[in-house]
Amino acid sequence: MGEQPIFTTRAHVFQIDPSTKKNWVPASKQAVTVSYFYDSTRNSYRIISVDGSKVIINSTITPNMTFTKTSQKFGQWADSRANTVFGLGFPSEQHLAKFAEKFTEVKEAAKVAKDKSQDKMETSSNHSQESGRGTPSSTQASSFNGTDDEKISHVEPEDVVLQSENNRLKAAVEQGNTNAKKWETELQTLRDGNARLVDSLNEANASVETWKKQVLICQEESTHLRNKIASLETQSNEVNQEKETNSRLTSRVKELEADLQDKDLELENLRKQAEIIPQLMGECDGITEKLKAAERKNGELEARVEALQKDVEEKQQQQGSLKRELKKMTDTLDGKLDELQEFRQGLSKLGTD
């Protein structure tokens, strides 16, 4: 069956900076497909990720590898064969948890496969050692159990050298045939791997086309959303203006309500005053009648005053005439007194005489 994907997810791929061994360097511009592959012929597991036509992850999982969660959405593992550290940024914590669980499962399966391969290697080595032990004994037996003719016959040194060289060449040819078969197997494995990579690249190219279409759709949606955002911002500005207008109107309404309350108070006061008006009108009528009576009395008093003034004038005239008469009488009396004084003086003189 060859190498088949057993688990696939999407993540952002990073590699550790080889110079600093601290900072992460993005290996992909966006989230790419990351898959676990199982090779049934080699009984091995790999993590493979392709960005376009570039293979950014080709990591064979070994039992001593460890996948570490460094945050809620980020994990990493070290690959000693690639001499780097891979990091994956997942869209959610659930994706990270599934990938980590699969890593643990694959690592355990790789450990089991490694143990089985070691058992097979030990078994084959034991068989080879046993066959190796039997070969020299047969050689020795053939050398020691040779015929008497071969023992008697004399072998020249050059023939011995050629025979040993021939044996060495035969062993080298057999070893070369063995290596050739091994290399053919490895070559076939590499061809299968290349075929799988070509299929992966084709799938990646198809995915790229799909992603390009999705990017175009996303760009169109982004343009549509930007236009919608612009229209919403315009509407928001209009709404803000309307809010300002409403706030001004609200303040004006409050002012008008305050004025209306003042007017209501004035109206209430006027109503109270209007209730008092009939009483005041009655009082005003009484006051008017009193005023008329007072005016009549005032007229009478004025008539009396005029009459009194006339009487006073007459009295004054009479008093003036009386004063004149009194003055005349006083003057006359003074003359009489003078005369009387002179008469008294004359009488006194007469008395003395």
Side-chain angles (χ1 to χ4, degrees):
M1 293 296 291
E3 196 170 21
Q4 297 292 330
I6 57 175
F7 179 81
T8 300
T9 186
R10 292 184 64 83
H12 290 272
V13 180
F14 300 88
Q15 288 186 8
I16 200 73
D17 190 354
S19 60
T20 61
K21 298 294 183 180
K22 293 181 180 180
N23 300 324
W24 290 106
V25 178
S28 62
K29 296 181 180 179
Q30 57 187 356
V32 296
T33 302
V34 181
S35 303
Y36 286 94
F37 279 85
Y38 172 64
D39 190 351
S40 59
T41 58
R42 293 185 176 183
N43 198 14
S44 63
Y45 296 87
R46 288 195 300 168
I47 299 176
I48 297 176
S49 179
V50 179
D51 185 9
S53 60
K54 179 182 178 183
V55 179
I56 55 178
I57 298 178
N58 185 7
S59 178
T60 301
I61 299 175
T62 59
N64 57 352
M65 284 186 178
T66 303
F67 184 81
T68 306
K69 297 179 183 178
T70 57
S71 67
Q72 293 181 351
K73 297 182 181 180
F74 194 86
Q76 66 183 39
W77 78 96
D79 191 343
S80 59
R81 295 181 180 178
N83 193 20
T84 186
V85 179
F86 294 101
L88 297 179
F90 294 91
S92 67
E93 189 175 357
Q94 290 77 14
H95 289 81
L96 174 60
K98 290 181 180 179
F99 189 89
E101 291 176 359
K102 199 65 181 177
F103 194 96
T104 303
E105 294 177 3
V106 169
K107 186 176 75 170
E108 293 297 329
K111 184 177 180 181
V112 172
K114 183 179 179 181
D115 294 338
K116 288 183 179 179
S117 63
Q118 286 180 354
D119 293 338
K120 289 181 180 179
M121 289 177 65
E122 289 176 357
T123 303
S124 62
S125 64
N126 291 329
H127 287 300
S128 62
Q129 287 176 2
E130 290 175 357
S131 61
R133 293 191 190 97
T135 303
S137 61
S138 61
T139 306
Q140 290 175 0
S142 62
S143 60
F144 286 108
N145 296 328
T147 59
D148 295 333
D149 296 333
E150 290 175 351
K151 291 179 182 179
I152 296 171
S153 63
H154 296 282
V155 181
E156 296 180 358
E158 293 180 0
D159 294 335
V160 174
V161 172
L162 290 174
Q163 188 176 0
S164 62
E165 186 68 21
N166 191 14
N167 292 329
R168 188 176 65 81
L169 289 174
K170 284 181 180 181
V173 168
E174 290 177 357
Q175 185 66 30
N177 291 330
T178 304
N179 292 332
K181 291 180 180 180
K182 184 178 179 180
W183 293 337
E184 286 178 359
T185 304
E186 292 182 356
L187 180 61
Q188 186 63 34
T189 304
L190 292 174
R191 286 175 180 175
D192 294 337
N194 290 330
R196 288 191 296 273
L197 288 176
V198 169
D199 294 336
S200 299
L201 290 174
N202 292 329
E203 292 177 0
N205 291 328
S207 301
V208 166
E209 295 296 329
T210 305
W211 294 338
K212 285 181 180 179
K213 292 179 182 179
Q214 291 179 356
V215 166
L216 291 175
I217 294 171
C218 291
Q219 288 177 353
E220 292 176 356
E221 291 180 355
S222 178
T223 304
H224 177 68
L225 289 174
R226 286 177 182 174
N227 295 329
K228 192 172 182 179
I229 288 170
S231 63
L232 289 174
E233 287 179 352
T234 306
Q235 293 177 3
S236 178
N237 293 328
E238 293 177 355
V239 168
N240 291 329
Q241 293 177 358
E242 291 180 357
K243 285 182 179 179
E244 292 177 357
T245 306
N246 290 330
S247 63
R248 289 196 296 269
L249 291 174
T250 303
S251 60
R252 180 60 180 166
V253 167
K254 289 181 180 178
E255 292 176 358
L256 292 174
E257 287 178 351
D259 294 337
L260 184 60
Q261 290 178 357
D262 295 336
K263 296 296 182 184
D264 289 336
L265 293 175
E266 291 180 1
L267 182 60
E268 187 67 24
N269 294 327
L270 290 174
R271 285 177 181 174
K272 292 179 180 179
Q273 292 177 4
E275 293 176 355
I276 301 171
I277 283 173
Q279 183 179 356
L280 294 175
M281 290 293 291
E283 292 179 357
C284 185
D285 291 337
I287 291 170
T288 303
E289 290 178 357
K290 289 180 181 180
L291 184 60
K292 288 180 179 180
E295 286 179 352
R296 287 194 299 271
K297 287 181 181 181
N298 192 15
E300 293 175 357
L301 290 172
E302 286 180 354
R304 288 181 183 180
V305 168
E306 288 179 357
L308 290 172
Q309 285 180 354
K310 289 180 181 180
D311 291 338
V312 169
E313 288 176 356
E314 290 176 355
K315 296 293 182 182
Q316 286 178 353
Q317 289 176 0
Q318 290 177 1
Q319 188 176 5
S321 60
L322 289 172
K323 284 181 179 181
R324 286 191 298 270
E325 290 177 0
L326 182 60
K327 188 175 182 181
K328 288 179 181 180
M329 290 177 67
T330 303
D331 292 338
T332 303
L333 182 59
D334 289 334
K336 295 294 185 182
L337 288 173
D338 290 334
E339 290 177 358
L340 184 59
Q341 183 71 26
E342 289 177 356
F343 181 72
R344 283 180 177 177
Q345 290 177 357
L347 286 176
S348 62
K349 287 179 178 182
L350 287 176
T352 59
D353 288 341

